[in-house]
Amino acid sequence: MEINYKINDGRVDLKSLNADELTSYIESLGEKKFRANQIYQWMHEKLVTDFDSMKNVPSKLLDTLKENAHLTALTPIRVQTSKIDGTKKFLFKLYDGNVIESVLMKYHHGNSVCISSQVGCKMGCRFCASTLDGCVRNLLPSEMLDQVYRIQDSTGERVSNIVIMGSGEPMDNYDNVCKFLELINSPKGLNISLRNVTVSTCGLVPRIKQLADLKLQITLAISLHAPNDTLRKTMMPIANKYSIEEIMDACRYYLEQTGRRISFEYSLVKGVNDTKECARELIDLVTGLNCHINLIPVNPIKERDYEQSNKEAIMAFKNKLEKCGINVTIRREMGRDIDGACGQLRKSYMEDSHESSSND
Ligand code: SAH
């Protein structure tokens, strides 16, 4: 049988297969179907990290699997806990030595995990640390899942919400992200409702439309950050490819297909996009669309000169939107004391390890 999910050395990436695919694979090894059920349960329900923990699977089959297949299990190499709000940042090592970061945020309504979808990112947004060294590779579905599995396992508490807002552009790793959504939602796995999943994109228009056609109940978040193309182009290179008008069309289509309200993210940068005029333009842009705006005080990174808007500017911006009936919230800055912004922890880890290896 043809399997699409493989790691570098050609072995099958077992955890990226859905139950039917796993069954076909196990049957292709001359084994009975119920073995696939057992293995699926060990991986996606009991969250084991190695083949030897699969106690009811015969050792002969486990040996065959070890030879031909890979069981993805991320290794935590650093965990930072915020003293302010208990947010935890995890740095995980992948099988090929790459590192990614994930964040656990505790809210009243449950535990939310922010996962990465790629190692690095190629979108080049000016305020973002994830993109400074480009995109190294896409994450496999199993590698997105295991961020959630390892965090749930290490805390012993159920993860109820997922946001794909870590490093990477999920719509640039479309097929693997869709497979991740299928697996995380599976009743045979963590069974997380897609209503509790948010996918954030900088605005890859054809992919947004493709996603809309799947009619999933996920929340789509658009990283807008500017109310007109001229300004957006100075902040986000993707604005040279797709105009705001095209993005708004795609959002309307998404809403039509799914009935789900759109979220817009708007990171406020001092003197750049936090002016009265910007607020006015933003109001004109979204009025009449069923949406929610999330204002994020930009988290400055040392490689760029963007500064966070001051409190008054943030409140004035919010009030102006609210007065016009727009749903708007200011995102609480979670984990500000622990390399809060996307990609900052990974970046500081890479710099540390680079420094220590060049000092050797
Ligand atoms: N590539 C996707 C998801 C990753 S980023 C996207 O663009 O949506 C998640 C959100 O955090 C995006 O809205 C992104 O623009 C924003 N972001 C990234 N770095 C930031 C920073 N330093 N300060 C504030 N927001 C940031």
Short mmCIF file of all heavy atoms in Angstrom, two decimals, residues 121 123 125 127-129 164-170 200-203 221-225 236 265-267 296-301 331 341-342 344, ligand 1:
data_model
loop_
_atom_site.label_atom_id
_atom_site.label_comp_id
_atom_site.label_asym_id
_atom_site.label_seq_id
_atom_site.Cartn_x
_atom_site.Cartn_y
_atom_site.Cartn_z
N CYS A 121 9.44 29.60 9.67
CA CYS A 121 8.34 30.08 8.84
C CYS A 121 8.93 30.89 7.70
O CYS A 121 9.97 31.54 7.87
CB CYS A 121 7.41 30.98 9.67
SG CYS A 121 5.96 31.57 8.78
N MET A 123 7.11 33.23 5.90
CA MET A 123 6.22 34.34 5.54
C MET A 123 6.84 35.73 5.73
O MET A 123 6.39 36.70 5.14
CB MET A 123 4.90 34.24 6.32
CG MET A 123 4.09 33.01 5.95
SD MET A 123 3.60 33.03 4.21
CE MET A 123 3.91 31.36 3.71
N CYS A 125 6.90 38.00 8.19
CA CYS A 125 6.24 39.12 8.88
C CYS A 125 7.28 39.86 9.74
O CYS A 125 8.09 39.25 10.42
CB CYS A 125 5.08 38.64 9.75
SG CYS A 125 3.80 37.83 8.79
N PHE A 127 7.32 41.66 12.42
CA PHE A 127 7.33 41.71 13.90
C PHE A 127 7.58 40.35 14.51
O PHE A 127 7.56 40.19 15.72
CB PHE A 127 5.97 42.24 14.37
CG PHE A 127 4.84 41.66 13.56
CD1 PHE A 127 4.36 40.40 13.84
CD2 PHE A 127 4.32 42.35 12.47
CE1 PHE A 127 3.37 39.82 13.07
CE2 PHE A 127 3.33 41.79 11.67
CZ PHE A 127 2.85 40.52 11.98
N CYS A 128 7.75 39.31 13.69
CA CYS A 128 7.68 37.94 14.20
C CYS A 128 9.06 37.28 14.26
O CYS A 128 9.83 37.31 13.30
CB CYS A 128 6.75 37.14 13.29
SG CYS A 128 6.54 35.44 13.82
N ALA A 129 9.34 36.63 15.40
CA ALA A 129 10.64 35.99 15.59
C ALA A 129 10.75 34.65 14.88
O ALA A 129 11.84 34.19 14.56
CB ALA A 129 10.90 35.80 17.09
N ILE A 164 -3.69 26.91 16.54
CA ILE A 164 -2.50 26.70 15.69
C ILE A 164 -1.97 28.09 15.39
O ILE A 164 -2.25 28.69 14.36
CB ILE A 164 -2.84 25.89 14.42
CG1 ILE A 164 -3.64 24.63 14.80
CG2 ILE A 164 -1.55 25.50 13.67
CD1 ILE A 164 -3.91 23.67 13.66
N MET A 165 -1.23 28.61 16.36
CA MET A 165 -0.73 29.99 16.31
C MET A 165 0.71 30.05 16.75
O MET A 165 1.21 31.11 17.11
CB MET A 165 -1.53 30.86 17.28
CG MET A 165 -2.88 31.27 16.80
SD MET A 165 -3.51 32.57 17.87
CE MET A 165 -5.15 32.74 17.21
N GLY A 166 1.36 28.91 16.80
CA GLY A 166 2.78 28.92 17.15
C GLY A 166 3.59 29.23 15.90
O GLY A 166 3.09 29.89 14.98
N SER A 167 4.82 28.75 15.84
CA SER A 167 5.65 29.03 14.67
C SER A 167 5.08 28.34 13.44
O SER A 167 4.55 27.24 13.53
CB SER A 167 7.07 28.53 14.91
OG SER A 167 7.63 29.21 16.00
N GLY A 168 5.24 29.02 12.32
CA GLY A 168 4.82 28.43 11.05
C GLY A 168 3.51 29.00 10.54
O GLY A 168 2.75 29.62 11.28
N GLU A 169 3.30 28.80 9.24
CA GLU A 169 2.05 29.23 8.60
C GLU A 169 1.25 27.97 8.28
O GLU A 169 1.61 27.22 7.37
CB GLU A 169 2.38 30.04 7.35
CG GLU A 169 1.22 30.32 6.42
CD GLU A 169 -0.03 30.86 7.11
OE1 GLU A 169 0.05 31.82 7.89
OE2 GLU A 169 -1.12 30.28 6.87
N PRO A 170 0.17 27.72 9.05
CA PRO A 170 -0.56 26.46 8.86
C PRO A 170 -1.07 26.24 7.43
O PRO A 170 -1.11 25.12 6.95
CB PRO A 170 -1.71 26.54 9.86
CG PRO A 170 -1.66 27.89 10.47
CD PRO A 170 -0.35 28.50 10.17
N SER A 200 -4.85 29.91 12.66
CA SER A 200 -4.52 31.30 12.35
C SER A 200 -3.66 31.37 11.09
O SER A 200 -2.69 30.63 10.95
CB SER A 200 -3.75 31.88 13.54
OG SER A 200 -3.33 33.19 13.26
N THR A 201 -4.03 32.27 10.19
CA THR A 201 -3.26 32.39 8.95
C THR A 201 -2.99 33.85 8.61
O THR A 201 -3.80 34.74 8.91
CB THR A 201 -4.00 31.72 7.76
OG1 THR A 201 -3.27 31.98 6.55
CG2 THR A 201 -5.42 32.23 7.60
N CYS A 202 -1.85 34.08 7.93
CA CYS A 202 -1.53 35.44 7.50
C CYS A 202 -2.32 35.79 6.24
O CYS A 202 -2.25 36.91 5.76
CB CYS A 202 -0.03 35.59 7.28
SG CYS A 202 0.61 34.51 6.01
N GLY A 203 -3.08 34.80 5.72
CA GLY A 203 -3.99 35.14 4.62
C GLY A 203 -3.66 34.53 3.28
O GLY A 203 -3.59 35.23 2.27
N ALA A 221 -8.79 32.34 12.13
CA ALA A 221 -8.27 33.65 12.57
C ALA A 221 -7.38 34.19 11.46
O ALA A 221 -6.53 33.46 10.93
CB ALA A 221 -7.48 33.49 13.86
N ILE A 222 -7.61 35.43 11.11
CA ILE A 222 -6.81 36.06 10.06
C ILE A 222 -5.89 37.10 10.70
O ILE A 222 -6.35 37.98 11.43
CB ILE A 222 -7.72 36.81 9.05
CG1 ILE A 222 -8.78 35.88 8.45
CG2 ILE A 222 -6.90 37.52 7.97
CD1 ILE A 222 -8.32 34.95 7.38
N SER A 223 -4.61 36.99 10.41
CA SER A 223 -3.66 37.99 10.91
C SER A 223 -3.71 39.18 9.96
O SER A 223 -3.11 39.16 8.90
CB SER A 223 -2.25 37.40 10.95
OG SER A 223 -2.24 36.31 11.83
N LEU A 224 -4.45 40.18 10.36
CA LEU A 224 -4.69 41.33 9.47
C LEU A 224 -3.63 42.41 9.72
O LEU A 224 -2.90 42.79 8.82
CB LEU A 224 -6.10 41.87 9.71
CG LEU A 224 -6.62 42.86 8.71
CD1 LEU A 224 -6.74 42.24 7.32
CD2 LEU A 224 -7.99 43.39 9.16
N HIS A 225 -3.59 42.91 10.93
CA HIS A 225 -2.55 43.84 11.40
C HIS A 225 -2.52 45.21 10.75
O HIS A 225 -1.80 46.10 11.22
CB HIS A 225 -1.15 43.21 11.31
CG HIS A 225 -1.02 41.92 12.05
ND1 HIS A 225 -1.56 41.70 13.28
CD2 HIS A 225 -0.40 40.74 11.70
CE1 HIS A 225 -1.28 40.46 13.68
NE2 HIS A 225 -0.60 39.86 12.74
N MET A 236 3.89 42.91 6.33
CA MET A 236 3.73 41.50 5.96
C MET A 236 3.94 41.30 4.47
O MET A 236 3.11 41.74 3.66
CB MET A 236 2.32 41.02 6.34
CG MET A 236 1.96 41.26 7.79
SD MET A 236 0.22 40.92 8.11
CE MET A 236 0.19 39.13 8.05
N GLU A 265 -6.82 39.10 13.86
CA GLU A 265 -5.79 39.50 14.82
C GLU A 265 -5.16 40.80 14.33
O GLU A 265 -4.90 40.97 13.14
CB GLU A 265 -4.71 38.42 14.92
CG GLU A 265 -5.19 37.21 15.67
CD GLU A 265 -4.53 35.96 15.18
OE1 GLU A 265 -4.88 35.50 14.09
OE2 GLU A 265 -3.63 35.47 15.86
N TYR A 266 -4.95 41.68 15.27
CA TYR A 266 -4.41 43.00 14.93
C TYR A 266 -3.39 43.36 16.00
O TYR A 266 -3.74 43.72 17.12
CB TYR A 266 -5.56 44.01 14.87
CG TYR A 266 -5.24 45.31 14.18
CD1 TYR A 266 -5.65 45.55 12.87
CD2 TYR A 266 -4.53 46.31 14.84
CE1 TYR A 266 -5.37 46.76 12.24
CE2 TYR A 266 -4.24 47.52 14.22
CZ TYR A 266 -4.66 47.73 12.92
OH TYR A 266 -4.38 48.93 12.30
N SER A 267 -2.10 43.19 15.66
CA SER A 267 -1.04 43.50 16.62
C SER A 267 -0.73 44.99 16.56
O SER A 267 -0.40 45.51 15.49
CB SER A 267 0.23 42.70 16.30
OG SER A 267 -0.04 41.33 16.45
N ILE A 296 -3.69 42.79 19.81
CA ILE A 296 -2.54 42.22 20.51
C ILE A 296 -1.47 43.30 20.61
O ILE A 296 -0.95 43.74 19.58
CB ILE A 296 -1.93 41.03 19.72
CG1 ILE A 296 -3.03 40.09 19.20
CG2 ILE A 296 -0.89 40.29 20.53
CD1 ILE A 296 -2.54 39.06 18.18
N PRO A 297 -1.16 43.77 21.84
CA PRO A 297 -0.05 44.72 21.93
C PRO A 297 1.20 44.03 21.41
O PRO A 297 1.52 42.94 21.88
CB PRO A 297 0.06 44.99 23.44
CG PRO A 297 -1.21 44.45 24.04
CD PRO A 297 -1.71 43.36 23.14
N VAL A 298 1.85 44.56 20.39
CA VAL A 298 2.96 43.82 19.76
C VAL A 298 4.03 43.50 20.80
O VAL A 298 4.29 44.28 21.71
CB VAL A 298 3.56 44.59 18.55
CG1 VAL A 298 4.58 45.64 18.98
CG2 VAL A 298 4.18 43.64 17.54
N ASN A 299 4.56 42.32 20.68
CA ASN A 299 5.60 41.86 21.59
C ASN A 299 6.93 42.15 20.90
O ASN A 299 7.28 41.46 19.95
CB ASN A 299 5.39 40.35 21.76
CG ASN A 299 5.88 39.87 23.09
OD1 ASN A 299 6.85 40.38 23.62
ND2 ASN A 299 5.23 38.84 23.59
N PRO A 300 7.65 43.18 21.33
CA PRO A 300 8.82 43.60 20.55
C PRO A 300 9.89 42.51 20.52
O PRO A 300 10.12 41.84 21.51
CB PRO A 300 9.35 44.83 21.31
CG PRO A 300 8.27 45.21 22.25
CD PRO A 300 7.48 43.98 22.54
N ILE A 301 10.53 42.32 19.37
CA ILE A 301 11.67 41.39 19.29
C ILE A 301 12.92 42.22 19.03
O ILE A 301 12.84 43.27 18.37
CB ILE A 301 11.46 40.31 18.20
CG1 ILE A 301 11.18 40.90 16.81
CG2 ILE A 301 10.31 39.37 18.59
CD1 ILE A 301 11.17 39.87 15.68
N ARG A 331 -6.05 41.11 23.70
CA ARG A 331 -5.54 39.82 24.16
C ARG A 331 -4.65 40.01 25.38
O ARG A 331 -3.76 40.85 25.39
CB ARG A 331 -4.76 39.10 23.07
CG ARG A 331 -4.34 37.72 23.57
CD ARG A 331 -3.45 36.99 22.62
NE ARG A 331 -4.15 36.66 21.39
CZ ARG A 331 -3.52 36.22 20.31
NH1 ARG A 331 -2.22 36.08 20.32
NH2 ARG A 331 -4.20 35.93 19.22
N ALA A 341 6.60 35.95 22.80
CA ALA A 341 6.16 35.98 21.40
C ALA A 341 6.60 34.74 20.63
O ALA A 341 7.60 34.11 20.95
CB ALA A 341 6.70 37.23 20.71
N CYS A 342 5.80 34.45 19.60
CA CYS A 342 6.06 33.32 18.71
C CYS A 342 7.53 33.19 18.35
O CYS A 342 8.13 34.13 17.84
CB CYS A 342 5.38 33.54 17.35
SG CYS A 342 3.65 33.53 17.40
N GLN A 344 10.22 33.09 19.96
CA GLN A 344 11.31 33.73 20.72
C GLN A 344 12.11 32.74 21.57
O GLN A 344 13.31 32.87 21.70
CB GLN A 344 10.74 34.81 21.66
CG GLN A 344 10.56 36.12 20.95
CD GLN A 344 10.27 37.27 21.89
OE1 GLN A 344 10.20 38.38 21.47
NE2 GLN A 344 10.06 37.03 23.17
N1 SAH B 1 1.38 32.18 10.54
C1 SAH B 1 0.15 32.26 11.24
C2 SAH B 1 0.19 31.79 12.67
C3 SAH B 1 1.35 32.13 13.53
S1 SAH B 1 1.50 33.63 14.37
C4 SAH B 1 -0.41 33.66 11.17
O1 SAH B 1 0.24 34.52 10.60
O2 SAH B 1 -1.51 33.88 11.62
C5 SAH B 1 0.17 33.87 15.47
C6 SAH B 1 -0.20 35.32 15.61
O3 SAH B 1 0.78 36.06 16.38
C7 SAH B 1 -0.29 36.03 14.28
O4 SAH B 1 -1.39 36.91 14.28
C8 SAH B 1 1.01 36.80 14.24
O5 SAH B 1 0.93 37.82 13.31
C9 SAH B 1 1.15 37.22 15.67
N2 SAH B 1 2.51 37.59 16.09
C10 SAH B 1 3.68 37.06 15.71
N3 SAH B 1 4.71 37.67 16.32
C11 SAH B 1 4.17 38.62 17.10
C12 SAH B 1 4.73 39.60 17.98
N4 SAH B 1 6.04 39.71 18.16
N5 SAH B 1 3.88 40.41 18.64
C13 SAH B 1 2.53 40.29 18.46
N6 SAH B 1 1.96 39.39 17.64
C14 SAH B 1 2.77 38.57 16.96
#
